[in-house]
Amino acid sequence: MLGDDTVPGRLSTKRRIKRFTDLPSPSTRSVTFRHSPTAIRRSTWLVADTTETDLDTERRTDTETEPQRSFHGVDVGLLEGDEDLVGLLLEATATDREGSGDGPELAPDVDVKANPTLRDGDILVISSKVVSLAEGRYVDLEAVPVSSRADRIADVTGIDPREVELILRESTVLGAIPIADIGPGVDRLEDHAVDPEAASAALESLPSLLVTFWNGRFCTNAGIDLSNSPGESATLLPADPNASARRIREEIRDRAGIEVAVIVADSELSYRGGSVDVAIGCAGIDPVDSNFGATDLFGTPKLGGVDLQADELAAASALLSGQAAERTPIVVARGLDYEVDDDVAVGTDSDLIRGGLWPVLKRTIQVKIADTVPIRVPFGVS
Amino acid sequence: MLGDDTVPGRLSTKRRIKRFTDLPSPSTRSVTFRHSPTAIRRSTWLVADTTETDLDTERRTDTETEPQRSFHGVDVGLLEGDEDLVGLLLEATATDREGSGDGPELAPDVDVKANPTLRDGDILVISSKVVSLAEGRYVDLEAVPVSSRADRIADVTGIDPREVELILRESTVLGAIPIADIGPGVDRLEDHAVDPEAASAALESLPSLLVTFWNGRFCTNAGIDLSNSPGESATLLPADPNASARRIREEIRDRAGIEVAVIVADSELSYRGGSVDVAIGCAGIDPVDSNFGATDLFGTPKLGGVDLQADELAAASALLSGQAAERTPIVVARGLDYEVDDDVAVGTDSDLIRGGLWPVLKRTIQVKIADTVPIRVPFGVS
């Protein structure tokens, strides 16, 4: 139906687009670095004391050796539970900070080569696991009394009844994924096994996953984690990850005088048959890069621009922290332009789901009807 | 029901976990950097000519000033369409590479300060948009004849009939999201507007989004993009993004002797009311960090470890490239340990969805029945 010049792979009607040097320079887009007066005062990395620095200007002056964004893993060792996470973090990232006398002393046994020095403006992406451990959010499975309700679900799913009990207490169960019964998915998982026997054992140990609604978000098994836990203990997600992030941010400011943003991250199953990390809590950084209604290069307002930057940071950090035994539960993300904001938190999906599902279903039905029911077109083009 | 020591926020039965220094050192996990003979020969950044370098060893020797992962934006200017993308990329990233005479000459007008020098082992994350433009995958909307089918769907959705026509040609339509009718979602979008008037105009210009199945993956509007396109043109996704990535990787090798991995990335709507970038094609890097069945710190095999690292890289790069007018369509990710592999591609969701949906529904119904129907428990614990 399309012309001959529009065959697949070459759907083109040669248009000439000007190179950007010929275009007018972008107008006053508000992608800027804003920071609170506190951040300015304490800043060791911002050279100017202006409240706004143009992003484009900054980017143009980047030098070759200075990467635009960098990610540094922090090894804080294994937590013992109910431990001083901020203390361990400050210890691991401490050095004699230039021009600042208020930094923590360097502990003699810390390998400074392996850990970065914390700076104002850094974003800490912290695995929910260590936050939970530090907050004592783990339970001995043997101490969990099982209700008949949990027992019934355990019978159907093959999940440990004590784990089901915890899941029911922590979240609302929406459905179940029978891992062991999904042929293609499991095949795909097995393709990625480094140790087929261990992979097989892992699958057998968790025949199903419960799809749950936890703290206003979707996740599997209420985010309860039985791995990297000693003996038969289970780690629960932090009760309020936004509050955890705020606490960590404030403690770092109070104890070391360093102004950082904090993101609490957790791995989430993707329907693509793998996992990607997302942000479940944050402090000091807007989780969304509010850029909606910004115009594109041709001055047209974009529907997009609502980037979930906290999720992007969590995903980026997962490249370093890994899932198994990498021992990098904290990642320092450096060089990102973001708005320092103390009134933001990672939101919930509830409103969007509740308010959005019915209109989506209704419109889908309308579209499907329009697509399939033939109607008379007097001057049809086809 | 749980004991007094398990109140929310403090669900703890004090367990002592050893610090990692007391644990046996990790065994021979297979998270290693492997590379092809070609990569070794051409390598300028690997110091040893061994075929395997232990990740942990590498990590321990990182210096403070050398970040473990870095991301560098590349400004290649605006493409004119049907252009030599690899040529522009090599020009933008060229310098006199040490110890190598086969690098491209430095063009006199290239700002080396703003662009990194390409190295062996780098991963290029390239926006699908510029790949499409370079491959001529854009159409003049005025040249698209509209079928009656597209007309009917356009009537219901309010989408431009010519765009609907392209969407129908490129993908299978699964449903529709009536953006304008979703109260909470739109409210949330408006919260993130930098320019409320422009945001409002953007919403009016696209009252609905079609949920489509394109190339074995879910995306909205078949990934067709009307922004950052001049006049009334639409950019289609590359016909085969894996093939595009392979071509770019091979061209860079052939023309500059540099061995890189390539990921083609595209923004995808998240149900969280924003977008995150994902990988739609790749070459030279396994899109999945195959670590399934690896054991955790306590020797227990993990169900996880199947990290979608190509998606994580795409998300990380979005922190630099942005959505609107940042002009950073290519991001160089450096310092990642990955397997160089020429036989991998970003997979499709088809099998997982087809094979997984029915077992999930069946098990969900079973769980819901088990959860709600009261059964007699002779020696019940609750």
Side-chain angles (χ1 to χ4, degrees), chain B residues 126-151:
Chain B
I126 309 184
S127 155
S128 65
K129 187 62 175 284
V130 295
V131 175
S132 291
L133 284 175
E135 293 179 356
R137 290 274 294 166
Y138 50 90
V139 285
D140 187 344
L141 278 181
E142 287 166 33
V144 178
V146 177
S147 66
S148 57
R149 195 179 162 217
D151 241 352

Side-chain angles (χ1 to χ4, degrees), chain B residues 42-44 95-102 117:
Chain B
R42 291 212 172 96
S43 178
T44 57
T95 63
D96 46 350
R97 300 198 301 129
E98 276 175 50
S100 162
D102 59 358
T117 311

Side-chain angles (χ1 to χ4, degrees), chain B residues 2-164:
Chain B
L2 293 177
D4 282 337
D5 59 336
T6 56
V7 292
R10 218 68 195 170
L11 283 167
S12 161
T13 55
K14 306 257 175 185
R15 285 182 157 273
R16 304 324 288 177
I17 305 172
K18 285 192 169 186
R19 291 185 66 94
F20 88 91
T21 44
D22 304 326
L23 288 174
S25 63
S27 58
T28 53
R29 285 183 54 239
S30 62
V31 180
T32 52
F33 185 91
R34 299 194 193 91
H35 36 72
S36 66
T38 318
I40 296 173
R41 188 171 50 74
R42 291 212 172 96
S43 178
T44 57
W45 67 299
L46 287 170
V47 284
D49 62 352
T50 172
T51 51
E52 296 208 357
T53 310
D54 187 66
L55 179 65
D56 273 341
T57 313
E58 282 205 341
R59 191 163 286 165
R60 297 273 171 269
T61 57
D62 277 324
T63 61
E64 253 238 297
T65 47
E66 184 77 24
Q68 294 175 314
R69 304 285 184 276
S70 61
F71 292 82
H72 311 252
V74 179
D75 181 354
V76 293
L78 251 184
L79 292 200
E80 301 182 14
D82 304 302
E83 205 159 354
D84 176 13
L85 179 61
V86 169
L88 289 172
L89 169 70
L90 290 175
E91 198 180 291
T93 57
T95 63
D96 46 350
R97 300 198 301 129
E98 276 175 50
S100 162
D102 59 358
E105 288 297 306
L106 179 62
D109 61 337
V110 173
D111 180 6
V112 288
K113 289 210 166 126
N115 289 311
T117 311
L118 217 54
R119 298 185 199 161
D120 288 319
D122 283 344
I123 302 165
L124 296 177
V125 184
I126 309 184
S127 155
S128 65
K129 187 62 175 284
V130 295
V131 175
S132 291
L133 284 175
E135 293 179 356
R137 290 274 294 166
Y138 50 90
V139 285
D140 187 344
L141 278 181
E142 287 166 33
V144 178
V146 177
S147 66
S148 57
R149 195 179 162 217
D151 241 352
R152 290 194 296 269
I153 294 177
D155 271 353
V156 171
T157 56
I159 305 172
D160 187 316
R162 299 164 301 178
E163 193 181 354
V164 176

Side-chain angles (χ1 to χ4, degrees), chain B residues 343-367:
Chain B
D343 300 319
V344 290
V346 169
T348 65
D349 313 321
S350 328
D351 286 352
L352 196 59
I353 302 297
R354 261 202 301 271
L357 215 52
W358 174 233
V360 166
L361 276 173
K362 200 171 125 195
R363 187 61 49 89
T364 297
I365 292 163
Q366 289 171 337
V367 165

Side-chain angles (χ1 to χ4, degrees), chain B residues 156-172:
Chain B
V156 171
T157 56
I159 305 172
D160 187 316
R162 299 164 301 178
E163 193 181 354
V164 176
E165 178 67 41
L166 292 173
I167 291 167
L168 289 173
R169 292 173 62 92
E170 291 277 311
S171 70
T172 307

Side-chain angles (χ1 to χ4, degrees), chain B residues 109-374:
Chain B
D109 61 337
V110 173
D111 180 6
V112 288
K113 289 210 166 126
N115 289 311
T117 311
L118 217 54
R119 298 185 199 161
D120 288 319
D122 283 344
I123 302 165
L124 296 177
V125 184
I126 309 184
S127 155
S128 65
K129 187 62 175 284
V130 295
V131 175
S132 291
L133 284 175
E135 293 179 356
R137 290 274 294 166
Y138 50 90
V139 285
D140 187 344
L141 278 181
E142 287 166 33
V144 178
V146 177
S147 66
S148 57
R149 195 179 162 217
D151 241 352
R152 290 194 296 269
I153 294 177
D155 271 353
V156 171
T157 56
I159 305 172
D160 187 316
R162 299 164 301 178
E163 193 181 354
V164 176
E165 178 67 41
L166 292 173
I167 291 167
L168 289 173
R169 292 173 62 92
E170 291 277 311
S171 70
T172 307
V173 173
L174 302 174
I177 305 171
I179 300 279
D181 298 353
I182 299 179
V186 171
D187 292 352
R188 187 180 293 189
L189 283 175
E190 282 170 358
D191 282 348
H192 298 297
V194 289
D195 176 351
E197 261 181 61
S200 178
L203 282 175
E204 274 167 28
S205 73
L206 198 62
S208 295
L209 283 169
L210 293 175
V211 182
T212 56
F213 202 56
W214 168 86
N215 210 4
R217 296 175 78 103
F218 297 112
C219 61
T220 50
N221 286 6
I224 293 170
D225 190 1
L226 268 67
S227 71
N228 279 335
S229 300
E232 290 218 299
S233 75
T235 310
L236 313 178
L237 286 178
D240 182 347
N242 284 308
S244 301
R246 274 196 302 277
R247 250 189 330 262
I248 292 168
R249 168 167 150 81
E250 282 160 17
E251 251 190 78
I252 292 171
R253 183 198 287 144
D254 292 345
R255 290 166 67 172
I258 305 169
E259 195 78 22
V260 296
V262 174
I263 288 169
V264 177
D266 195 53
S267 295
E268 204 159 276
L269 200 73
S270 158
Y271 65 88
R272 300 228 152 92
S275 62
V276 168
D277 276 32
V278 297
I280 61 169
C282 78
I285 178 172
D286 194 327
V288 182
D289 179 19
S290 297
N291 203 16
F292 179 47
T295 50
D296 68 14
L297 288 168
F298 298 90
T300 313
K302 281 210 61 163
L303 185 71
V306 188
D307 283 6
L308 304 176
Q309 65 180 356
D311 284 344
E312 289 170 350
L313 277 159
S317 301
L319 291 167
L320 249 139
S321 55
Q323 292 297 319
E326 286 81 355
R327 295 179 187 141
T328 311
I330 303 178
V331 169
V332 175
R334 184 165 290 167
L336 188 83
D337 306 280
Y338 65 96
E339 289 193 28
V340 176
D341 192 332
D342 271 317
D343 300 319
V344 290
V346 169
T348 65
D349 313 321
S350 328
D351 286 352
L352 196 59
I353 302 297
R354 261 202 301 271
L357 215 52
W358 174 233
V360 166
L361 276 173
K362 200 171 125 195
R363 187 61 49 89
T364 297
I365 292 163
Q366 289 171 337
V367 165
K368 285 294 172 189
I369 289 171
D371 191 20
T372 51
V373 177

